[in-house]
Amino acid sequence: MDRYYRSLFIAVLLFMLPSLLFAAPQNILKGTVTDENKNPLIGATVAIPDLKLGTVTDEKGDYSLSSLPKGRFLVQVKMLGFETVTITIDISNDIEQNFMLKESIIEKNEVVVTGTSMATEVRRSVTPIQMVRMQELRQNAFTNVVDAIAKLPGISQVSTGPAISKPVIRGLGYNRVITLNDGVRQEGQQWGDEHGIEIDDYNVSRIEVLKGPASLAYGSDALAGVINIVSDEPLPQGKIQGNVIANYQTNSGLGALHGDLGGYINGISWNAYATGKQSHDYHNANDGYVFDTRFHNLNYGATIGINKKWGYSRLSYTSFGQTLGLAEGERDSATGKFIKTVNNGGVAEEQLVTDEDGKSYARVLPSQRIDHHKLVLNNNFYLNNGSRVGVILGYQQNSRKEFGDVLNPDEPGLHFQLRTYTYDVKYFYPVWNGWQVTTGVNGMAQNNANKGIEFLIPDYNLFDAGIYTIAKKEWKQWAVSGGLRYNYRTLTVKSLYLDSTDKKAEQLLPGGFEQFTPFTRNFSNLVGSLGTSYAASKQVTFKFNVATGFRSPNAAELAANGVHEGTIRYEYGTPGLKAENSVQGDLGMAWNANHIELNASIFYNYINNYIYLEKLLGVDGSDSIPAEHNDQGFGAYAYAQSNAGLYGGELYIDLHPHPLDWLHLANTFSYVRGVIFNGTDSTRNLPSMPPARWQIELRAEKRSLGKWIRNGYIKLGTNIAFAQNDIFSAYGTETATPGYTLFNAGLGFDLVNKAQRTVCTLSISAQNITDVAYQDHLNRLKYADINYATGRTGIYNMGRNFSIMASVPLRFK
């Protein structure tokens, strides 16, 4: 633990000390939850999202929430098979409030907390937001947290094997998407293709996706939207509970074991978790076992918090550790088999890969090691006038090491160490005449350092800050929200000299080389948004929103100069790049009736100075291959920019035909098109645009299947990806991808005891049942070497995969 870490840790303890010593009288909210026949509902959840408080009803349907501050709060009451109830309650003393839930086939009135000043219902939000619970996602096979949500409408992933996925929202990814985890933006090496999201996929309660520019609340880099991954769902007061989850997947031999345990007693909450996961190489019908796509994870973390009348304070620590292979796809020209390089008595020797090699979990080269540590202090203080102050402080240290020399397997070539300090301070004004107004300032300070013997991006320091105001009002059928934000960011790139032996030097010497030239760039911008929603009836809601976005170029786009082995490229930055600015309009409609749910949205996004990567050609028309520091002979790519536009939309229809209320027929269609306005035929289309996608799922559900089985389901699905021929074909930058159709299936249920409490949840799923050999358009491995034995180019996605997952809840008095 370095001195920065110690300093922040001491500061956190000092900051929490007054809160831990301070006690105050408590306000209590209590009551009973019943069904339409006035029968008590056992196990219904009653929560106040803004306070991170929740509880469940007892055998009599009674609930009680204590340690409540004074103020107006949105209360959510929900239970599987019933319509969710949300109401706003003024709390100043002890209050008794009873709830009656109606049976419902379709979930309604879900509450989200992303992109708004306070918790709000999805249907009342003016921006496109989608919320999904992790128990729904766990009904499918996935290998990382982004893979788990990539089936949502409008969401895609750039993948590099099963361990590495980067989120794409409506065609925009990388530094254009902010990933939040419990209120703090996740900061790793987002600019790189082969860097995933350092969040444990089993330590997730729900995920909220905000589509469209969210720079207003979150600053630069939220040009495409925000993915909010929530881990700290409220624990029931007076309870100690947890889960043990085990998962096995057949294709790659993936095995995972997760355990968590937490409690909330007398205003003190705590939680701890640990996850272990490992996988050998995956396989498909065309490639067999894809060498070096194996990985293993060891993640853990803990949280402690306090809730009192003055508010709450949470201190959390998480550690994400991952070792994973970097598949390069080198093959033997005669047999088409993959090639591995081994140390044979001190000599690097190439050998053919066997099926037994593919089933091995042992680390091979090339590989990378990711270590991400995060410390977060999250506070909310409620004042007597009905206002509150939120303060979130965070520290993250991300270390990425890339290993490629079999003669020195433990010496990293590339080694980045990124330290990030984040801050977010906001003031929530008292509600006045229905208006909710929030003013805040947030940003971060970063330092990135090269610790290895190879260099791709320079050392740099970054600082940014933004001040913003958001106002929102709801009345009758209407809701309106808008605001302004001023952003400022400065990036200082440091110089790097290499001597004649390619090692760091203090100054340029004869025979040396200047890898990076120093410079400082400053960026600033004013962004805003305005939107409204109109509830035409209890079933139908219309939404319209227009927002501007801002993103400054990152250090790789401005100053990269070196081999990016994980992406099989030599990359050049462009120091003169300008900031991206966007204007996006969204129009949406939601219809939620007893037997049909429909959500439709369309968007248009104009981006000024869109930054993209294009391949360079030599004077003879062949690939440009730099001679300096490029022993692998990788082709050169450089960053360019042009004005661009993206447009498209999503459609979701879920039918429950009466009287077959237990049957669901869900259809989801997503489409996005990106164009460069001044481009020619070969440069007309934006690169890396996901293809149109149509998903169909037929699902049967039954709340009770006898005395011991509840919440059973069985499903059949089809995932249709259309061909992507609208590509950036100039210089061989991108190639077209044919369409494909995958068939999936699954079933699951809860085993219950005599008291009808769940003792185990079992989910079985099958992906790509017919074992189709396909390449997703955003799969980077499709650009690996040609297989001369078959004539096929690149590596294919995972073949048939069965997954079985069991979750055992733990409860203690």
Side-chain angles (χ1 to χ4, degrees):
M1 185 179 292
D2 58 36
R3 61 187 180 90
Y4 300 102
Y5 219 148
R6 289 196 300 270
S7 299
L8 183 61
F9 186 70
I10 293 172
V12 164
L13 291 179
L14 293 175
F15 192 87
M16 288 190 67
L17 187 59
S19 301
L20 294 172
L21 297 178
F22 179 74
Q26 299 180 358
N27 296 319
I28 298 175
L29 174 65
K30 62 181 181 180
T32 304
V33 181
T34 63
D35 62 16
E36 294 176 276
N37 298 318
K38 297 184 179 180
N39 297 315
L41 292 178
I42 303 171
T45 299
V46 182
I48 305 178
D50 281 330
L51 295 178
K52 297 186 181 297
L53 280 176
T55 189
V56 294
T57 55
D58 60 18
E59 288 78 5
K60 298 180 180 180
D62 295 334
Y63 75 92
S64 178
L65 286 169
S66 58
S67 303
L68 304 182
K70 176 183 177 181
R72 286 173 57 87
F73 301 101
L74 190 69
V75 180
Q76 175 180 255
V77 185
K78 64 181 181 179
M79 187 172 183
L80 186 65
F82 292 84
E83 181 176 331
T84 299
V85 172
T86 58
I87 65 170
T88 300
I89 296 180
D90 286 300
I91 295 176
S92 56
N93 295 296
D94 293 352
I95 294 178
E96 184 169 343
Q97 177 69 52
N98 297 324
F99 296 95
M100 187 270 292
L101 303 187
K102 299 179 180 179
E103 289 197 42
S104 176
I105 302 300
I106 298 177
E107 295 289 346
K108 299 181 180 180
N109 307 326
E110 286 291 355
V111 170
V112 296
V113 296
T114 297
T116 59
S117 57
M118 295 181 181
T120 187
E121 295 180 46
V122 171
R123 67 185 183 93
R124 303 286 275 179
S125 169
V126 302
T127 55
I129 296 180
Q130 188 167 11
M131 193 278 288
V132 61
R133 303 185 197 92
M134 208 56 195
Q135 56 262 41
E136 299 172 33
L137 297 175
R138 285 176 180 157
Q139 295 175 3
N140 302 306
F142 60 88
T143 54
N144 59 73
V145 69
V146 176
D147 186 35
I149 63 172
K151 297 177 178 62
L152 296 179
I155 310 302
S156 308
Q157 61 177 323
V158 176
S159 64
T160 309
I164 304 172
S165 296
K166 303 185 75 66
V168 176
I169 300 177
R170 290 177 166 175
L172 299 176
Y174 300 91
N175 284 90
R176 300 179 183 93
V177 175
I178 284 182
T179 301
L180 294 176
N181 187 209
D182 294 333
V184 173
R185 56 186 291 167
Q186 191 77 11
E187 284 296 317
Q189 307 283 350
Q190 288 99 318
W191 52 269
D193 287 301
E194 80 285 20
H195 314 146
I197 303 298
E198 305 88 355
I199 296 175
D200 183 14
D201 42 317
Y202 292 93
N203 186 45
V204 173
S205 299
R206 73 176 188 273
I207 300 176
E208 301 167 355
V209 180
L210 187 155
K211 301 172 185 176
S215 301
L216 192 64
Y218 302 105
S220 182
D221 301 341
L223 198 72
V226 172
I227 295 176
N228 184 26
I229 300 173
V230 181
S231 301
D232 61 344
E233 284 278 73
L235 292 167
Q237 290 186 336
K239 306 286 185 179
I240 297 176
Q241 64 182 40
N243 286 281
V244 174
I245 300 173
N247 182 213
Y248 178 74
Q249 298 182 24
T250 59
N251 186 287
S252 62
L254 185 149
L257 184 64
H258 167 86
D260 62 79
L261 188 66
Y264 185 2
I265 301 175
N266 297 325
I268 303 295
S269 62
W270 58 272
N271 178 266
Y273 76 91
T275 301
K277 180 168 59 174
Q278 66 175 358
S279 165
H280 60 61
D281 298 337
Y282 78 85
H283 66 85
N284 60 59
N286 282 354
D287 299 311
Y289 286 95
V290 179
F291 181 65
D292 208 11
T293 54
R294 63 198 67 184
F295 65 93
H296 67 79
N297 287 37
L298 179 60
N299 313 322
Y300 54 88
T303 299
I304 186 169
I306 183 170
N307 279 73
K308 293 295 181 181
K309 185 177 179 179
W310 47 262
Y312 67 81
S313 184
R314 295 273 195 282
L315 177 65
S316 63
Y317 168 77
T318 59
S319 175
F320 179 94
Q322 183 180 64
T323 300
L324 65 159
L326 292 171
E328 295 184 336
E330 291 185 88
R331 303 176 189 261
D332 177 64
S333 59
T335 64
K337 291 187 176 181
F338 291 106
I339 295 173
K340 64 178 180 179
T341 304
V342 300
N343 184 346
N344 186 3
V347 178
E349 180 180 281
E350 290 185 344
Q351 296 180 0
L352 296 181
V353 174
T354 65
D355 284 350
E356 291 305 312
D357 290 328
K359 297 177 183 179
S360 171
Y361 293 89
R363 172 198 173 211
V364 293
L365 297 183
S367 66
Q368 60 177 324
R369 172 69 191 179
I370 308 293
D371 289 288
H372 192 97
H373 303 278
K374 182 169 60 178
L375 187 67
V376 177
L377 178 64
N378 189 338
N379 307 276
N380 262 273
F381 303 104
Y382 289 80
L383 309 180
N384 289 330
N385 64 353
S387 64
R388 65 180 168 117
V389 177
V391 181
I392 304 178
L393 303 175
Y395 171 77
Q396 299 173 69
Q397 178 173 289
N398 180 278
S399 172
R400 176 180 175 265
K401 301 176 182 178
E402 188 174 291
F403 305 90
D405 186 355
V406 296
L407 303 182
N408 298 284
D410 297 321
E411 181 178 23
L414 290 176
H415 180 191
F416 305 121
Q417 187 178 76
L418 178 67
R419 294 190 177 100
T420 304
Y421 301 85
T422 56
Y423 60 93
D424 187 355
V425 181
K426 47 186 173 283
Y427 178 72
F428 300 84
Y429 291 88
V431 177
W432 176 77
N433 196 27
W435 284 98
Q436 301 173 2
V437 181
T438 305
T439 297
V441 57
N442 57 20
M444 63 179 175
Q446 278 189 342
N447 169 261
N448 192 73
N450 282 290
K451 302 291 185 178
I453 59 174
E454 298 175 3
F455 310 96
L456 172 60
I457 64 172
D459 295 355
Y460 68 85
N461 293 322
L462 179 148
F463 176 81
D464 77 359
I467 184 169
Y468 63 92
T469 296
I470 301 174
K472 176 185 176 183
K473 183 175 181 176
E474 297 180 1
W475 73 99
K476 296 183 179 179
Q477 299 105 317
W478 290 91
V480 62
S481 178
L484 291 171
R485 177 189 178 98
Y486 176 76
N487 297 289
Y488 174 80
R489 172 173 287 188
T490 180
L491 176 69
T492 300
V493 166
K494 300 180 181 180
S495 63
L496 175 64
Y497 298 117
L498 300 180
D499 62 21
S500 58
T501 60
D502 289 354
K503 293 186 177 180
K504 290 183 180 180
E506 296 295 327
Q507 58 184 348
L508 188 60
L509 301 174
F513 177 76
E514 185 179 28
Q515 186 86 0
F516 304 114
T517 302
F519 62 83
T520 297
R521 293 289 306 275
N522 298 313
F523 304 92
S524 62
N525 187 266
L526 183 69
V527 297
S529 72
L530 180 64
T532 184
S533 69
Y534 173 68
S537 67
K538 289 184 178 180
Q539 290 80 30
V540 180
T541 303
F542 295 96
K543 299 182 181 183
F544 174 74
N545 184 70
V546 61
T548 60
F550 163 77
R551 184 185 80 91
S552 64
N554 58 52
E557 292 166 335
L558 292 170
N561 183 13
V563 169
H564 200 175
E565 185 166 344
T567 64
I568 322 174
R569 293 194 296 252
Y570 191 106
E571 296 182 8
Y572 289 110
T574 306
L577 292 175
K578 300 177 181 178
E580 295 179 344
N581 296 278
S582 73
V583 180
Q584 178 167 320
D586 289 275
L587 182 63
M589 187 272 285
W591 179 24
N592 200 324
N594 288 333
H595 296 281
I596 183 171
E597 180 182 3
L598 185 150
N599 285 280
S601 60
I602 58 174
F603 71 93
Y604 182 82
N605 189 5
Y606 173 82
I607 302 179
N608 192 36
N609 300 317
Y610 181 89
I611 301 170
Y612 57 95
L613 197 64
E614 67 178 15
K615 196 171 186 179
L616 300 181
L617 296 182
V619 294
D620 60 353
S622 62
D623 290 350
S624 175
I625 301 177
E628 295 279 357
H629 312 284
N630 186 20
D631 295 337
Q632 301 92 329
F634 291 154
Y637 290 72
Y639 289 94
Q641 62 184 169
S642 298
N643 296 340
L646 296 95
Y647 57 90
E650 299 91 37
L651 177 64
Y652 173 78
I653 303 175
D654 190 0
L655 300 175
H656 302 260
H658 188 71
L660 306 178
D661 296 339
W662 46 268
L663 190 65
H664 299 243
L665 178 60
N667 285 264
T668 303
F669 182 77
S670 305
Y671 175 78
V672 60
R673 174 75 191 280
V675 295
I676 298 174
F677 291 131
N678 60 350
T680 62
D681 289 343
S682 63
T683 62
R684 172 68 173 169
N685 301 301
L686 280 179
S688 302
M689 290 293 106
R693 187 177 64 189
W694 181 20
Q695 297 177 101
I696 307 170
E697 183 176 278
L698 182 65
R699 179 187 179 96
E701 294 180 343
K702 189 71 173 176
R703 188 180 303 172
S704 178
L705 291 168
K707 185 177 181 180
W708 308 107
I709 299 178
R710 294 182 66 85
N711 302 322
Y713 71 89
I714 186 169
K715 62 179 183 177
L716 298 172
T718 300
N719 181 7
I720 303 171
F722 293 82
Q724 180 56 286
N725 298 313
D726 297 323
I727 61 171
F728 190 97
S729 60
Y731 326 120
T733 299
E734 189 176 27
T735 59
T737 306
Y740 57 86
T741 300
L742 307 180
F743 294 95
N744 311 308
L747 61 88
F749 51 85
D750 293 340
L751 291 174
V752 298
N753 58 19
K754 291 182 179 180
Q756 294 299 291
R757 292 188 178 275
T758 301
V759 295
C760 179
T761 297
L762 187 68
S763 298
I764 301 173
S765 63
Q767 309 292 320
N768 192 4
I769 295 174
T770 55
D771 203 23
V772 172
Y774 72 100
Q775 290 178 325
D776 186 85
H777 186 67
L778 299 185
N779 172 18
R780 289 195 322 97
L781 295 181
K782 75 187 283 278
Y783 294 100
D785 287 348
I786 187 171
N787 184 342
Y788 289 101
T790 63
R792 304 186 188 103
T793 299
I795 293 172
Y796 285 70
N797 286 71
M798 185 179 289
R800 183 188 299 113
N801 185 29
F802 292 92
S803 171
I804 181 169
M805 182 178 293
S807 176
V808 178
L810 306 174
R811 303 182 189 92
F812 303 92
K813 294 183 179 180

